[in-house]
Amino acid sequence: MTIPTERAQTIAHVLIEALPYIKRFQGKTMVIKYGGNAMVDEALKEGFARDVVLMKLVGINPVIVHGGGPQIGSLLSRLGKASEFVQGMRVTDAETMDVVEMVLGGLVNKEIVNFINRHGGSAVGLTGKDGDLIRARKLLIKRDAPELRAPEIIDIGHVGEVESIDPAIIHMLTKSNFIPVVAPIGVGADGHSYNINADLVAGKMAEVLRAEKLLLLTNTAGLLDAEGQLISELDVGRVQTLIEEGVIHGGMLPKIRCAIEAVQSGVKSAHIIDGRVEHAVMLDLFTDTGVGTLIRGR
């Protein structure tokens, strides 16, 4: 089949534009936090899988950390168990933790692995329990209120934060041409499983792996200013000002904070990109314009 000249020229232009980025990133590690619409829309899931396979084929090492909050909530609802949240964190008793492990470590993780493998990749699914990958500690939430003499400490169950990451199994997989797909479940010194925010795991994973980039897929165009316009680039120095002005708030706060910690710990750059855009990862990595908000250190 003959390709029309105009389309062929467009393809050639795209490949030429991508070439310097491919050369620059060969052998580098990219940690991608995968979540939001990109995980539930079928066309976006197919596109993301192709993007990841292409990255590996051109010599880049993608490491995926995924979420799955909506899928957990859906299964809990079907089981007749209500979801309860404190400061945006899911209250996770032992029964809920069983569901979290089933959904994150099973259903969601294996679906992502299957999509990547169907498109020519070799993905391997992990939780933080595999290879002693993620050590966790219990997360306790503090609540301040005028009527309280001291902050109230709230125990929300099997919710954790990253204590440490041992990347040995990740290095073994990437060197063997596999693509690691990590569910954000860690294990504590007490032997219990803990559900950890996927953004935080991705940020810490990028730090430990000394990644070239941390990419956080979201359901927004990136970080927006007070007028709703995209902030295309942000340095660490501006963050506190934007928080005080209320520009960075709500669910964007943990993403920005983990991105800042990553770049301050040696990751070259962090990107908050719109996972609702088809092939957003490719657009960010391999084009001059990119998408979303780029965060650099000072």
Side-chain angles (χ1 to χ4, degrees), residues 7 101 183 230 282 295:
R7 185 176 170 218
E101 291 205 71
L230 177 67
M282 290 294 96
I295 299 171

Side-chain angles (χ1 to χ4, degrees), residues 21-22 67 98 104 118 130 135 159 191 229 248 266 285 298:
Y21 296 99
I22 292 171
D98 288 343
L104 290 183
R118 277 173 45 206
D130 295 302
R135 282 282 178 176
V159 178
Q229 299 299 309
I248 302 174
L285 288 180
R298 291 186 184 273

Side-chain angles (χ1 to χ4, degrees), residues 15-285:
L15 291 172
I16 290 168
E17 184 176 338
L19 182 59
Y21 296 99
I22 292 171
K23 290 174 67 177
R24 175 182 167 191
F25 297 141
Q26 270 190 333
K28 306 292 186 181
T29 297
M30 308 287 181
V31 175
I32 307 168
K33 188 273 176 160
Y34 179 48
N37 279 37
M39 280 185 66
V40 295
D41 180 280
E42 289 300 316
L44 293 176
K45 287 194 284 189
E46 296 274 357
F48 178 79
R50 291 191 186 100
D51 290 355
V52 170
V53 171
L54 178 59
M55 289 171 69
K56 192 68 177 178
L57 286 174
V58 299
I60 298 169
N61 293 318
V63 176
I64 300 162
V65 178
H66 66 83
Q71 293 90 333
I72 293 168
S74 175
L75 183 53
L76 286 171
S77 178
R78 282 158 49 197
L79 294 172
K81 189 173 180 63
S83 293
E84 181 184 352
F85 294 87
V86 174
Q87 296 182 18
M89 301 284 190
R90 185 186 301 277
V91 177
T92 307
D93 58 17
E95 185 179 47
T96 301
M97 190 63 219
D98 288 343
V99 173
V100 168
E101 291 205 71
M102 183 190 309
V103 173
L104 290 183
L107 297 173
V108 173
N109 188 275
K110 300 315 173 192
E111 181 186 54
I112 298 167
V113 167
N114 186 44
F115 264 100
I116 293 171
N117 291 347
R118 277 173 45 206
H119 287 87
S122 296
V124 174
L126 307 165
T127 74
K129 291 181 169 183
D130 295 302
D132 205 23
L133 175 59
I134 303 172
R135 282 282 178 176
R137 56 176 171 260
K138 180 187 280 286
L139 177 65
L140 296 174
I141 294 178
K142 291 183 179 180
R143 184 173 73 89
D144 290 301
E147 68 274 12
L148 298 175
R149 293 183 179 179
E152 179 185 7
I153 305 299
I154 304 172
D155 184 345
I156 54 174
H158 292 258
V159 178
E161 56 187 344
V162 176
E163 183 172 77
S164 64
I165 290 178
D166 181 348
I169 191 169
I170 301 294
H171 290 313
M172 182 188 73
L173 290 170
T174 55
K175 287 176 181 176
S176 300
N177 213 35
F178 290 103
I179 300 168
V181 180
V182 182
I185 297 167
V187 62
D190 55 8
H192 293 151
S193 298
Y194 289 94
N195 183 19
I196 310 174
N197 178 281
D199 290 323
L200 300 182
V201 171
K204 292 297 182 184
M205 188 73 71
E207 290 177 31
V208 170
L209 294 174
R210 308 293 286 181
E212 180 76 12
K213 291 179 182 284
L214 166 65
L215 291 87
L216 302 168
L217 273 66
T218 70
N219 283 342
T220 69
L223 178 61
L224 307 180
D225 65 18
E227 284 72 45
Q229 299 299 309
L230 177 67
I231 300 173
S232 59
E233 188 165 337
L234 179 66
D235 64 55
V236 173
R238 288 186 61 199
V239 170
Q240 189 56 41
T241 300
L242 293 174
I243 292 174
E244 291 169 359
E245 292 174 351
V247 173
I248 302 174
H249 64 280
M252 188 58 73
L253 268 171
K255 292 184 188 300
I256 292 290
R257 283 177 175 150
C258 83
I260 292 299
E261 287 181 17
V263 297
Q264 288 180 325
S265 300
V267 178
K268 295 291 180 61
S269 61
H271 304 245
I272 296 174
I273 61 177
D274 193 344
R276 301 168 302 177
V277 175
E278 193 168 6
H279 300 298
V281 173
M282 290 294 96
L283 291 171
D284 191 74
L285 288 180

